[in-house]
Amino acid sequence: MRILVLGSGGREHALVWKLMQSPLVETLFAAPGNCGMEADGARLVPIDVQALDDIVRFARKEKIDLVVPGPELPLTLGVTDALRAAGIPSFGPDAYCARLEGSKSYAKAMMRKAGVPTAASSVVHSLQEGLAALDSMDCKGERVVVKADGLAAGKGVIVARSRKEAEEALAAMFSQRSFGSAGDTVVLEELLTGEEVSLLAFCDGHNAWPLPSAQDHKAAFDGDLGPNTGGMGAYSPCPRLVGDDVEHVADRTIRPIIRTLAEEGHPFVGILYAGLMLTESGPKVLEYNVRFGDPECQPLLMRLTSDLAEAMIACIEGKAPLLTLSEKVALGVVLAKEGYPGHYERGSRICGLDELAQIPEIKVFHSGTKKVGSDIVSDGGRILCVTGLGETLANARDLVYQALRGLSCEGSFFRKDIGAKGIRD
Ligand code: AMP
Ligand code: GLY
């Protein structure tokens, strides 16, 4: 098989690494990819993930058998539709289904239609409408979450713990237009409390096969402090969601959406990711993503012992994928550049990667890295994710933090408490 992976982050490096282990895979291209993927055998192609025409042209020319889009943007732009029109299979939903991630108001409407438990919410289109909606909430706007409707790289969500913060968030979206057109429509949502868990499922258009749970760490700093990022570390499984509960939660939060989309004539093929809050009154969906999470993908794929390419093809053909996972626990910690998720410098040399490559239970997935001569330097806010497999969560954590001691990159930082919530139990 000839495969094309779209994207250049740690998630896509993990996809490349796992796909390369499949005996079905003959040649693997990554567009635009990164130097970590290249070292694992991918051939890099300088095509942007948004350049749909170029992607289709390349896939045709290279007789690609399967395209695996990593990030949400090409999916919301319709890469699967464009590929399908050219007769090329893609492991990802069409643009219709990708609106689940591309529009938060659409996702809320779908949750209502499918009967999925979620926070009470209202949709507003102006500051005035927003202020009136705050007045009509039970909490009078004292504990709300203000969400820009469109894609905002994980930054368009403001958790407001007072009426003043809620008003400021509405002003940022409508008056200052901090999120551009993504903030033309805003979802106001009741603030939920509990622990957050990610549940990802392989979907064949009509059914869903959940992977074990994972837990992300979205805030930049220890103790969940600081601004929200794309994710600073993750582990799997999360002890809050294991055993039969995984299937029960998938029955309530993932399968109803898959059924509803199929009834609407748009079977969802790919990964559906439910971001959940485990509240006192049960799990509630905070958001849907229509792809693997980054960094959840890295620990999840480290646990996957079955063939990833085969599972993706099975879903595309409407068959049950074979998914087997190691009983071990995987944990990944992201090394980021100081300043991230705001402004940061590029070009710091990363030392110690060769030594880490010798540790069998550790894999370093690259995100923002670049090869300059014989050096590998930082080239993004999230630089890489050191991921390890251990007998227990504490083992995995100790392995990864020990490995991180062997890495150096000037002006970088990482959270010291990844996995702490799971070990506290
Ligand atoms: P989202 O992109 O909708 O998942 O929101 C990003 C983050 O904001 C989530 O991971 C939560 O930490 C937080 N968040 C979103 N919605 C809520 C909510 N209704 N209550 C509490 N926190 C929330
Ligand atoms: N780690 C969260 C996300 O991928 O959206």
Side-chain angles (χ1 to χ4, degrees), residues 196-264:
E196 281 187 63
V197 182
S198 309
L199 188 62
L200 286 73
F202 278 73
C203 304
D204 75 344
H206 300 278
N207 207 343
W209 292 268
L211 289 168
S213 64
Q215 187 164 54
D216 189 14
H217 297 66
K218 288 206 168 81
F221 309 127
D222 288 4
D224 291 334
L225 298 175
N228 261 359
T229 69
M232 295 297 292
Y235 64 93
S236 168
C238 171
R240 300 264 174 197
L241 183 56
V242 288
D244 292 346
D245 284 351
V246 171
E247 283 294 328
H248 295 152
V249 173
D251 276 344
R252 296 186 62 199
T253 63
I254 291 183
R255 294 192 177 107
I257 294 285
I258 299 300
R259 245 187 331 265
T260 305
L261 285 168
E263 281 161 15
E264 291 181 1

Side-chain angles (χ1 to χ4, degrees), residues 104 145 147 157 189-192 196 218 286-287:
K104 291 195 184 288
V145 183
K147 301 185 174 186
V157 174
E189 205 170 275
E190 135 201 41
L191 192 136
L192 300 174
E196 281 187 63
K218 288 206 168 81
L286 297 177
E287 65 164 343

Side-chain angles (χ1 to χ4, degrees), residues 46 61 64 80 117 133 171 186 191 210 260 282 284 295 312 324 350 364 380 411 418:
K61 180 166 83 62
I64 296 294
T80 290
V186 167
L191 192 136
T260 305
K284 294 194 176 176
M312 289 175 167
T324 52
I350 306 163
V364 177
I418 303 302

